[in-house]
């Protein structure tokens, strides 16, 4: 039974019928554009033997949806999907039983097809029919879900059931393509006004009093201004129209760029020496894995290598946005937002305003897609904070590009050191992986005080939330994928969590996995080179233990797709190379192998990515492939382009000029193969391709020019520095 179903065991918590008789499905997992609502719709449709168009997925909200915490970790199909599958199967079988009892027949004679129950009566010699609405009672909605009904799904189509073939078409895509879809940015409520909260670029700062006073007077004199409110280091502005606000925003942001209004205080890590800065901080050290009791006694050839990545930014093209409205008596608050954790946000907003959570309603509305903790929760607080100034009126707050890049949490910088030993037979005998990184989580809803940026900056601030890592039971944070997936007898994994956070850091897609996989798979290629083995053959030789068949299968599949074992083309251009990498996400999730083909010229140009993935039972093949492709391309952008620039005034990379991302013209062809395992549980697709893609690009660069990249991003400048340094890729 999934954790979601344990917490919400009743049928009414997952399914319902509206007044028109259409099936409603409830989930606490939100759609960020990744199409999870469609995948969940397909699951419910399959179990109820209905067409997907007959299922209405109710947008997540804190009044009607089950509390499933945060939409993260590639767990939506595993958790919410499993719960909805059980709920739908339970409802179907309860209705089948009611039909049988009413007709006085054995339940096995009742068929379910196209959302209708039927049976052939021998006495009357006719077929009787009934719908879900006709067979469902009030008592049935209150029943606890019996998970036994779901066990026969893949074994047979039980009791004569014939599921409909689900449509592969997502119902939201056409409206998004044609600009008809209503995002949170498009929502207009009666009497709505517009607001913005201005703040310093660092977590600690002080107001420059005379400049702030002059600014307040200037803003109050502008037309269309409703309210100007200063509290602590925050300055809030409310206007009647979005146009009036836009003029004020430009004026204030120009002043901020000149260092006005706030005196910022922040330690700035040296971008050129991040590994040593991380190691010099106070550390919380844990041993994640230790099987060194199995240490070999024979002589080994050792290699040691260190890898690192800079701070990264979410850099969503869409901006964070929220709407909020207090009742006239300020006793109830409603928030519309694209948060990934509506219940967590509700909890922290209630803490921030010292009110019971039951008096806060949060409704999810699709907005800027983001894998990780961006500014969505912070902008929700901004809207609620400003809405107090105009009780009864809805307030809309949309961050600017400068605010989006300057105030959202960063992904932590990381350093990873690997020390490995290989024996005379070419087998890895020992492996030690050591990680230095800040924690990868400051999301709301998990501490005693609110983890919302604005609550740390008022006149009576709450304490800044220190970044922590998720428990290893759910994949960890900075230590995610730090344990090698290969057969190695002696393994030690050490994680050093950095206890200093001059800039706010939190979760980004895959957390620590991309850096750990980049490091580990780079070392795997180095070891293969030392042992004079092909990188594919070397990996397969270390996947021979029980339970590794699925890992072997994805590696062999991607090798076949890319023609890995065929002779290299004679006419390949100078700087041509290809690289291979593999990982199982979190060591418990999806299996993914990637091959990259590229050319290194004045910069790295990707030609093609091949990806083979085992997701267990695939619910929506098109959606899964989209997720894998998107994860690979975002990882390619990280590894080739992205690095946050920090200054004493805050995050300096606050526009597209100084925070470039991969352009459409840089995009390679991507081929995805899904190796469906219909009898296995579903595994998440959203994050599994990130790590192998980073590593495969690094390995392809080495194959192309013989230079081992140890530090992201692989920009032309960093490539040139590495080549000129002529540093050995690893040190014996």
């Amino acid at each position: 039974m999934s954790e979601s179903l344990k917490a919400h065991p009743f049928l009414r918590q997952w399914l319902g019928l509206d007044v028109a008789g259409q099936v409603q499905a409830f989930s606490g997992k939100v759609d960020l554009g990744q199409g999870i609502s469609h995948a969940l719709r397909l699951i419910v449709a399959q179990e109820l033997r209905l067409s997907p168009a007959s299922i209405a997925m109710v947008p997540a909200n804190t009044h009607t949806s089950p509390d499933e915490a945060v939409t993260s970790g590639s767990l939506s199909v595993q958790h919410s999907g499993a719960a909805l599958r059980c709920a739908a199967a339970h409802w179907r079988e309860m209705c089948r039983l009611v039909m049988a009892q009413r007709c006085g027949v054995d339940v096995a004679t009742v068929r379910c097809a196209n959302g209708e129950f039927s049976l052939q009566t021998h006495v009357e010699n006719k077929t009787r029919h009934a719908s879900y609405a006709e067979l469902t009672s009030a008592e049935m909605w209150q029943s606890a879900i019996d998970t036994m009904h779901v066990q026969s799904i893949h074994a047979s189509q039980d009791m004569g059931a014939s599921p409909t073939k689900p449509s592969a078409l997502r119902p939201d895509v056409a409206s998004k393509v044609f600009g008809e879809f209503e995002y949170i940015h498009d929502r207009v409520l009666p009497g709505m006004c517009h607001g913005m909260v201005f703040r310093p670029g660092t977590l600690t700062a002080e107001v420059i009093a005379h400049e702030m006073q002059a600014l307040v007077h200037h803003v109050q004199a502008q037309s269309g201004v409703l309210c100007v409110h200063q509290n602590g280091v925050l300055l809030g502005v409310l206007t009647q129209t979005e146009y009036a606000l836009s003029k004020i925003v430009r004026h204030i942001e120009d002043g901020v760029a000149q260092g006005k209004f706030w005196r910022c205080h922040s330690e700035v890590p040296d971008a050129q020496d991040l590994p040593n800065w991380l190691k010099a901080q106070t550390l919380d050290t844990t041993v994640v894995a230790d099987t060194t009791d199995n240490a070999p006694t024979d002589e080994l050839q050792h290699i040691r290598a260190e890898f690192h990545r800079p701070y990264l930014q979410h850099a969503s093209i869409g901006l964070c946005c929220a709407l909020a409205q207090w009742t006239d008596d300020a006793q109830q608050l409603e928030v519309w937002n694209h948060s990934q954790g509506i219940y967590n946000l509700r909890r922290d907003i209630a803490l921030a305003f010292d009110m019971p959570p039951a008096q806060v309603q949060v409704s999810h509305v699709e907005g800027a897609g983001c894998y990780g903790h961006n500014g969505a929760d912070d902008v929700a607080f901004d809207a609620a904070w400003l809405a107090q100034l105009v009780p009864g009126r809805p307030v809309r707050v949309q961050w600017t590009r400068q605010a989006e890049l300057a105030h959202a949490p960063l992904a932590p910088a990381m350093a990873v050191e690997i020390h490995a030993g290989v024996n005379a037979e070419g087998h890895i005998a020992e492996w030690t992986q050591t990680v230095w990184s800040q924690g990868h989580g400051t999301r709301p809803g998990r501490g005693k005080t609110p983890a919302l940026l604005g609550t740390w900056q008022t006149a009576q601030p709450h304490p800044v939330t220190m970044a922590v890592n998720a428990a290893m039971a759910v994949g960890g944070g900075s230590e995610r994928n730090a344990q090698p997936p290969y057969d190695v007898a002696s393994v030690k994994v050490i994680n050093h969590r950095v206890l200093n956070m001059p800039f706010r850091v939190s979760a980004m897609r895959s957390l620590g996995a991309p850096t750990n996989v980049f490091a580990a798979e780079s070392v795997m290629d180095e070891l293969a080179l030392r042992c004079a083995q092909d990188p594919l053959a070397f990996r397969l030789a270390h996947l021979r233990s029980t339970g590794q068949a699925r890992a072997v299968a994805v590696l062999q599949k991607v090798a076949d797709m890319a023609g890995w074992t065929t002779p290299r083309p004679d006419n390949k251009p100078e700087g041509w190379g290809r690289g291979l990498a593999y990982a199982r996400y979190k060591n418990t999730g999806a299996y993914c192998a990637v091959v990259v083909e590229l050319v290194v010229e004045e910069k790295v140009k990707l030609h093609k990515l091949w990806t083979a993935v085992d997701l267990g039972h695939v619910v929506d093949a098109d959606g899964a492939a989209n997720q894998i492709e998107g994860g690979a391309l975002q990882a390619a952008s990280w590894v080739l382009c992205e690095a946050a620039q920090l200054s004493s005034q805050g995050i300096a990379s606050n526009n597209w000029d100084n925070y470039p991302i991969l352009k459409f013209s840089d995009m390679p062809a991507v081929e995805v193969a899904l190796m469906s395992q219909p009898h296995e549980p579903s595994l998440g697709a959203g994050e599994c391709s990130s790590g192998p893609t980073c590593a495969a690009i690094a390995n392809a660069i080495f194959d192309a020019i013989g230079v081992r990249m140890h530090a992201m991003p692989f920009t032309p400048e960093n490539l040139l520095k590495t080549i000129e340094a002529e540093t050995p890729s690893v040190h014996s």
Side-chain angles (χ1 to χ4, degrees):
M1 180 186 294
S2 74
E3 294 302 315
S4 295
L5 198 56
K6 289 179 183 177
H8 306 281
F10 300 108
L11 182 61
R12 59 176 168 76
Q13 295 173 304
W14 298 97
L15 295 169
L17 287 168
D18 65 15
V19 293
Q22 184 176 30
V23 175
Q24 295 176 307
F26 306 99
S27 171
K29 299 297 184 181
V30 303
D31 204 313
L32 312 168
Q34 82 277 38
I36 193 62
S37 61
H38 185 54
L40 299 178
R41 178 185 292 108
L42 295 180
I43 288 171
V44 174
Q46 181 187 50
E47 290 307 317
L48 296 183
R49 317 311 189 210
L50 282 166
S51 71
S54 303
I55 311 299
M57 292 300 304
V58 178
N61 66 85
T62 54
H63 273 4
T64 62
S65 301
D67 181 357
E68 294 191 90
V70 180
T71 305
S72 62
S74 298
L75 294 171
S76 295
V77 169
Q78 289 169 259
H79 289 178
S80 200
L84 280 166
R85 187 180 293 283
C86 289
H90 172 84
W91 188 22
R92 184 193 69 228
E93 294 309 306
M94 289 300 96
C95 287
R96 192 198 302 275
L97 179 61
V98 169
M99 178 86 165
Q101 290 173 340
R102 286 182 182 178
C103 298
V105 299
D106 188 279
V107 70
T109 64
V110 180
R111 297 176 58 84
C112 179
N114 300 317
E116 189 174 65
F117 296 86
S118 62
L119 61 87
Q120 185 75 28
T121 59
H122 297 292
V123 176
E124 300 171 333
N125 195 26
K126 65 179 182 179
T127 303
R128 299 184 64 176
H129 302 273
S131 66
Y132 280 99
E134 292 168 327
L135 296 171
T136 303
S137 63
E139 293 76 20
M140 192 181 295
W141 292 124
Q142 304 301 321
S143 64
I145 295 167
D146 186 349
T147 60
M148 293 297 293
H149 296 306
V150 84
Q151 292 183 355
S152 61
I153 288 172
H154 301 306
S156 64
Q157 299 302 335
D158 55 316
M159 307 302 180
S162 57
T164 59
K165 293 183 179 180
S167 168
L169 298 177
R170 278 173 53 179
D172 61 324
V173 170
S175 60
K176 288 177 176 177
V177 169
F178 292 108
E180 299 167 349
F181 188 85
E182 185 187 71
Y183 289 99
I184 180 66
H185 314 75
D186 306 312
R187 184 156 293 190
V188 177
L189 300 178
M192 187 173 75
C193 53
H194 299 265
M196 188 71 181
V197 176
F198 302 93
R199 49 175 49 91
T202 55
L203 293 176
T204 55
E206 60 189 77
V207 172
I208 302 173
H210 68 281
E211 290 186 355
M212 183 62 71
Q213 186 177 17
L215 175 62
V216 169
H217 288 318
H218 171 81
V219 173
Q220 287 174 331
Q222 303 305 303
S223 62
V225 172
L226 295 173
C227 295
V228 181
H229 178 58
Q230 186 198 340
N231 185 316
V233 297
L234 299 179
L235 177 68
V237 178
L238 275 173
T239 63
Q240 194 70 38
T241 66
E242 190 174 8
Y243 176 70
L245 182 64
S246 67
K247 294 190 294 182
I248 294 167
V249 167
R250 283 195 297 271
H251 175 79
I252 295 177
E253 288 190 345
D254 287 345
V256 171
Q258 299 169 32
K260 292 183 176 181
F261 314 133
W262 294 280
R263 190 172 292 111
C264 296
H265 310 290
S266 183
E267 174 187 359
V268 183
D270 183 355
Q272 304 305 314
D273 197 22
L274 282 173
N276 285 329
W277 182 85
L278 292 169
K279 295 175 183 179
Q281 307 309 304
T282 304
L283 303 171
D284 175 23
T285 300
T286 56
V287 177
V288 179
D290 188 353
T291 60
T292 52
D293 290 344
N294 303 321
T297 57
D298 51 340
E299 186 174 344
L300 304 176
Q301 179 182 185
H302 289 92
I303 65 172
R304 186 187 300 273
E306 184 171 297
F307 304 82
H308 53 94
R309 83 166 186 196
Y311 290 96
L312 298 175
Q313 295 173 252
H314 291 285
S316 296
I317 295 174
L319 300 169
C320 288
C321 182
L323 280 66
Q325 182 175 7
W326 292 85
T327 54
D328 290 332
D329 58 2
Q331 295 299 307
Q332 300 283 334
L333 170 64
E334 187 164 7
V335 175
W336 297 264
N337 180 244
H338 53 107
S339 170
Q340 290 179 237
I342 54 173
Y343 278 94
N344 290 32
L345 175 60
R346 182 182 75 162
R347 177 187 178 278
D348 275 20
I349 283 182
L351 283 173
F353 294 106
D354 193 24
M355 59 195 296
Q359 292 176 211
V360 181
Q361 179 180 352
V362 179
S363 298
H364 184 268
V365 185
E366 281 197 49
C370 174
Y371 285 81
H373 180 190
N374 67 349
D377 299 298
D378 299 316
V379 78
F381 170 81
D382 287 357
W385 186 70
L386 287 173
Q388 290 184 111
L389 305 176
V390 284
R393 290 192 69 176
V395 170
R396 177 186 185 271
V397 176
Q398 178 178 297
W399 276 6
T400 63
R401 175 64 54 203
Q402 188 275 340
E404 183 79 22
L405 288 169
H407 301 309
L410 299 166
M414 293 182 64
V416 177
E417 182 178 280
I418 295 177
H419 182 199
V422 62
N423 61 24
E425 288 74 38
H427 197 86
I428 306 170
E430 60 182 22
W431 183 289
T432 299
Q433 188 152 331
T434 308
V435 182
W436 291 266
S437 171
Q438 292 152 313
H440 284 242
T442 54
R443 286 188 186 273
R446 297 172 175 175
K448 295 179 180 179
T449 57
L452 299 168
L453 180 60
T455 67
W456 307 339
Q457 299 175 315
T458 59
Q460 295 181 312
H462 289 277
V464 173
T465 302
M466 178 60 69
V468 296
N469 288 312
M472 281 304 296
V474 293
S478 55
E479 66 273 65
R480 183 165 292 184
N481 278 98
Q483 191 166 349
Y486 301 102
D487 301 333
V488 182
S490 177
V491 173
K492 190 167 188 177
V493 176
I494 303 164
N495 187 59
H496 299 293
R497 181 167 67 95
V498 174
L499 301 180
N500 185 8
M501 196 178 71
F503 293 83
R504 184 170 56 147
V505 296
S506 195
M508 188 177 285
R509 193 175 201 163
S510 309
L511 306 189
T515 312
N516 282 310
V517 175
F518 157 51
E521 289 296 282
S522 295
V523 169
M524 287 297 290
D525 259 33
E526 287 287 347
L527 291 170
L529 182 65
R530 291 291 184 92
C531 298
Q533 292 189 38
D534 174 79
L536 172 64
F538 187 73
R539 286 169 172 80
L540 294 176
H542 288 85
L543 291 169
R544 291 178 173 171
S545 63
T546 303
Q548 296 280 37
R550 294 169 75 177
V552 169
V554 295
L555 274 163
Q556 291 178 330
K557 178 64 176 179
V558 82
D560 292 341
M561 294 165 65
W564 184 270
T565 58
T566 60
R568 294 183 173 224
D570 295 330
N571 60 343
K572 63 182 177 65
E574 184 179 356
W576 180 93
R578 64 181 182 181
L580 171 73
Y582 161 76
R584 184 181 184 192
Y585 185 51
K586 302 184 195 175
N587 293 92
T588 57
Y591 303 79
C592 180
V594 175
V595 170
V596 169
E597 181 185 291
L598 54 73
V599 172
V600 182
E601 296 171 333
E602 72 281 359
K603 67 176 185 178
V604 176
K605 179 65 177 177
L606 302 178
H607 279 191
K608 188 162 184 178
L609 275 66
W610 293 268
T611 306
V613 185
D614 179 346
L615 299 173
H617 173 60
V618 176
V619 174
D620 177 15
D622 186 58
N626 290 341
Q627 289 299 286
I628 292 159
E629 180 177 334
L633 294 175
Q634 184 175 20
S637 185
W638 295 335
V639 82
L640 295 179
C641 304
E642 299 184 34
Q645 300 174 30
L646 309 179
S647 76
S648 59
Q649 298 300 305
I651 298 171
S653 45
N654 58 13
N655 58 58
W656 294 125
D657 290 334
N658 51 29
Y659 195 81
I661 61 176
L662 211 62
K663 299 177 181 178
F664 285 114
S665 59
D666 298 320
M667 294 295 173
V670 182
E671 183 178 337
V672 176
L674 298 177
M675 305 176 67
S676 180
Q677 306 279 356
H679 299 287
E680 297 289 343
S682 296
L683 301 171
E687 297 169 295
C688 64
S689 60
S690 302
T693 299
C694 293
I697 292 172
N699 289 336
I701 291 172
F702 182 85
D703 184 57
I705 61 174
V707 171
R708 175 66 62 192
M709 299 300 294
H710 289 251
M712 298 183 192
F714 309 151
T715 59
E717 296 77 14
N718 287 344
L719 276 168
L720 185 60
K721 286 179 184 178
T722 305
I723 293 169
E724 290 177 344
E726 294 182 349
T727 303
S729 58
V730 289
H731 304 287
S732 299

